[in-house]
Amino acid sequence: MNKKRIYFDMDGVLVDFESGVSKISEETKEQYKGRIDEIPGIFSLMDPIPGAIEAAHLLAKRYDVYILTTSPWNNPTAANDKIEWVKKHMNDIFHKRVIITHHKELCQGDYLIDDRGKNGASEFNGEWLHLGSPKFPDMDAILNYLLM
């Protein structure tokens, strides 16, 4: 029997974007004002969201899991930094299971866990589990829904 497929977004789902921002100097923040995600190396500084790694491991026992993320076009290190983040924190379940795209709607799967509808997330062909929405306010709500 084939497992259903889940895609996890990174930023805001597995990765605490603000934890990386907090490690950047005020001078650099000012230089990149309005485009913080373009700071080279910022994605390598980010911490996991508490409980996210554990949730992904629970879901990996029942589902075919992948990361589906976007890399800022004008950040020369972002894609590599994201891959290195996965290797450091989650290589055991996401080894060679990372897809970087600006068109998430093109990927085939059953579920997409994403905190924003950008880059095709709201047009995903399966079910978009909108993390932070009233239906899915947190990862526990998603776990309850997917593991029921």
Side-chain angles (χ1 to χ4, degrees):
M1 181 173 159
N2 290 339
K3 292 181 176 182
K4 288 188 174 187
R5 181 173 300 146
I6 296 177
Y7 294 105
F8 291 82
D9 178 45
M10 286 185 75
D11 308 318
V13 174
L14 299 172
V15 180
D16 181 356
F17 185 85
E18 292 304 317
S19 69
V21 174
S22 70
K23 297 172 187 168
I24 300 294
S25 72
E26 291 304 318
E27 180 183 348
T28 301
K29 287 179 195 174
E30 187 60 34
Q31 180 184 352
Y32 285 87
K33 192 172 187 169
R35 51 192 185 92
I36 295 290
D37 63 349
E38 293 179 10
I39 298 172
I42 192 168
F43 290 95
S44 66
L45 302 175
M46 298 177 187
D47 299 322
I49 290 178
I53 291 175
E54 296 80 4
H57 278 92
L58 281 173
L59 292 170
K61 291 177 183 176
R62 187 180 295 181
Y63 293 91
D64 186 25
V65 296
Y66 292 83
I67 286 177
L68 186 58
T69 190
T70 300
S71 177
W73 195 253
N74 291 320
N75 184 329
T77 69
N80 186 64
D81 291 342
K82 287 183 175 225
I83 296 292
E84 290 304 316
W85 189 95
V86 171
K87 287 180 182 178
K88 178 179 180 182
H89 296 284
M90 305 189 80
N91 197 41
D92 55 334
I93 59 172
F94 291 121
H95 182 76
K96 295 186 178 182
R97 289 176 165 261
V98 178
I99 300 165
I100 298 174
T101 183
H102 285 86
H103 296 281
K104 294 178 180 181
E105 77 280 6
L106 297 178
C107 292
Q108 301 293 313
D110 299 287
Y111 303 101
L112 168 62
I113 303 170
D114 205 323
D115 62 319
R116 302 183 318 153
K118 292 190 166 203
N119 301 307
S122 63
E123 291 85 36
F124 179 69
N125 68 4
E127 186 176 355
W128 171 33
L129 307 183
H130 185 180
L131 184 63
S133 68
K135 184 174 181 182
F136 300 110
D138 54 32
M139 191 59 82
D140 284 340
I142 288 176
L143 287 174
N144 287 337
Y145 181 73
L146 292 173
L147 297 176
M148 60 181 172

